[in-house]
Amino acid sequence: MATEDEPPSQPDIAAMLTDQTSACKPAREAIAAGAEVRVLDRKVPQWMVAGIAATRLKRSLARGLQEIIGLDETVEILARHRGEQLRTGSIDAADRLWFFTLYFDATGTELLACSGVKRSRRPSTKVSFEPRPNA
């Protein structure tokens, strides 16, 4: 039994990633390879989450630059949950090449969908500031 001082246990996200979308298997593999997983505690309205996903899909298809997986399936799944509150989360691959977005029910106990995007280049984790030469 958990005490008040203990944080709530993190759900086993890898186990929750079954076959909701085509992004689930790569997301599970990313977790197994040491990805950073976050689940937000905040609930948001379905229309907001679905609108963001639909906009991402539309822009990604229009640009044709990013490799995306499961986003079209995610948009369809989220449309079936109108009027509900949802939670979101993310998986950031250890190599930083893939980023997955997770979509949960309001309790965070059921994973509804997962989508992923391959970044076009590896983001820099190093920030450097060089002083300007005196003029």
Side-chain angles (χ1 to χ4, degrees):
M1 183 171 160
T3 66
E4 287 183 32
D5 296 335
E6 293 178 23
S9 61
Q10 177 80 9
D12 185 357
I13 303 300
M16 295 172 86
L17 287 159
T18 54
D19 292 321
Q20 293 90 340
T21 69
S22 57
C24 290
K25 184 175 187 261
R28 275 194 318 271
E29 292 168 354
I31 291 171
E36 181 181 343
V37 180
R38 284 168 284 196
V39 178
L40 302 178
D41 289 331
R42 185 176 148 207
K43 294 180 223 174
V44 293
Q46 174 274 346
W47 61 264
M48 184 183 296
V49 175
I52 291 168
T55 300
R56 283 182 183 159
L57 178 61
K58 183 178 178 180
R59 287 183 178 164
S60 295
L61 292 174
R63 291 182 184 149
L65 301 175
Q66 294 179 319
E67 186 175 340
I68 56 171
I69 52 175
L71 190 52
D72 53 342
E73 299 159 282
T74 294
V75 169
E76 290 177 19
I77 291 167
L78 294 176
R80 295 193 297 254
H81 293 273
R82 284 196 202 324
E84 296 179 25
Q85 295 287 305
L86 305 176
R87 292 184 189 218
T88 60
S90 63
I91 301 169
D92 201 358
D95 62 8
R96 304 284 190 228
L97 292 177
W98 280 92
F99 182 83
F100 299 91
T101 304
L102 305 169
Y103 304 89
F104 299 92
D105 68 349
T107 64
T109 58
E110 181 186 356
L111 180 71
L112 304 175
C114 173
S115 63
V117 61
K118 186 173 185 180
R119 295 179 173 131
S120 58
R121 59 188 162 96
R122 189 176 189 171
S124 174
T125 57
K126 185 177 171 183
V127 176
S128 65
F129 295 96
E130 296 181 23
R132 290 185 172 184
N134 292 337

